[in-house]
Amino acid sequence: MNARHRALAGLLGICLATATHAAPASFTGYGDFYRSLGGTLFPGSGTDMAMPCTDAPRNCVWVTSMGQALRRFDQTLWSGPGDLAMTPPAGVPDVAFDGEALVVGTQRWPLSDAINLAPAPWHDNAPIAAENVAVMTLWHRGSSVCLDIRQVSSGKGDRYTKVVLLHEKRLYVLPPLFGTCAAIREAPHHGFSYPSNTYLGAGMESDPEGLQVDYLLSDGITRVERYRLRFPDHDNPFVFEAMRE
């Protein structure tokens, strides 16, 4: 841990030590819980991206504009959303994600070079097939860009979202368990913190009693806050009570 992180951890430790523990609060979704903590890096709501595909050979890419799709695959025959304009909506950055890299404007950020902060078994920067993604949501603020990538899945797959963050000219992959760009919070010195979530109880994923939410700085080590969530119904981890420790 460098001197800056030690100083920050000490300051946050003092703040936490003097904080008053409130009664548990009830939530019916993680978005509302994360936003209730304050200091979100991406306030407001995200923007759904579209997936046009070339006809032959078939290549797909998630974009905010058809112009980005044409820059990625220089082909004439495409299928996809008919209302996708050549330029992104006002105020939305021109973004593409082809499963191998995030593109913002003309700058390409390979996924293989990302700093991966996810624990095993998700500590993997392997490419993602664009057609295996069900929904992709873009979040942005200033030069920071974030993607919520929900892959096609079944069973407990709705608990996992791949989160890809571009911040201060660095690309990160964040933990997927109940992950979302809406959970990322501001930290001093243009930094950020993010939740690293762990099931509580002997049953873990198959029968979880709750969730431990550790907010870590971008070094992946320094914890700044911890919350404990309790699931009244172990089969529904999206309804819970939360308390700060």
Side-chain angles (χ1 to χ4, degrees):
M1 186 187 304
N2 60 34
R4 191 184 79 183
H5 281 135
R6 283 197 298 269
L8 178 59
L11 175 61
L12 289 168
I14 293 171
C15 294
L16 291 175
T18 58
T20 301
H21 288 257
S26 298
F27 295 91
T28 57
Y30 285 86
D32 288 342
F33 164 64
Y34 292 133
R35 281 187 287 269
S36 76
L37 305 180
T40 179
L41 183 60
F42 299 105
S45 57
T47 301
D48 287 341
M49 297 175 66
M51 188 188 73
C53 300
T54 61
D55 285 347
R58 185 173 176 84
N59 292 296
C60 300
V61 57
W62 288 86
V63 294
T64 57
S65 76
M66 193 63 201
Q68 273 286 23
L70 292 171
R71 282 192 289 273
R72 178 62 183 90
F73 298 111
D74 186 15
Q75 295 180 240
T76 56
L77 297 178
W78 288 79
S79 60
D83 58 350
L84 182 60
M86 289 298 294
T87 57
V92 175
D94 206 5
V95 170
F97 184 79
D98 61 4
E100 296 181 355
L102 170 67
V103 178
V104 181
T106 58
Q107 181 71 49
R108 185 176 176 86
W109 305 87
L111 189 61
S112 59
D113 294 340
I115 300 169
N116 196 314
L117 298 173
W122 303 287
H123 194 80
D124 182 359
N125 289 355
I128 304 167
E131 289 188 274
N132 287 344
V133 175
V135 178
M136 190 172 299
T137 305
L138 166 71
W139 303 74
H140 63 95
R141 181 182 179 186
S143 61
S144 296
V145 169
C146 189
L147 300 179
D148 279 350
I149 303 173
R150 299 290 298 271
Q151 295 181 255
V152 176
S153 63
S154 59
K156 297 179 175 64
D158 60 349
R159 304 179 186 185
Y160 299 90
T161 299
K162 194 175 189 75
V163 179
V164 176
L165 169 68
L166 177 64
H167 184 70
E168 293 293 311
K169 298 183 179 180
R170 291 185 177 180
L171 193 66
Y172 299 86
V173 176
L174 305 184
L177 180 59
F178 301 112
T180 172
C181 298
I184 303 170
R185 300 166 71 188
E186 296 176 297
H189 309 293
H190 307 289
F192 69 90
S193 65
Y194 65 94
S196 180
N197 299 328
T198 308
Y199 284 117
L200 296 173
M204 299 302 288
E205 183 182 55
S206 62
D207 185 29
E209 297 175 8
L211 196 73
Q212 180 175 290
V213 180
D214 287 322
Y215 262 88
L216 306 178
L217 294 181
S218 58
D219 62 359
I221 299 172
T222 307
R223 190 182 78 207
V224 294
E225 288 183 12
R226 171 174 285 178
Y227 298 86
R228 185 175 292 267
L229 280 51
R230 186 183 72 85
F231 303 149
D233 179 356
H234 294 188
D235 292 327
N236 184 4
F238 295 94
V239 175
F240 54 86
E241 295 177 344
M243 176 177 282
R244 179 176 172 177
E245 289 192 348

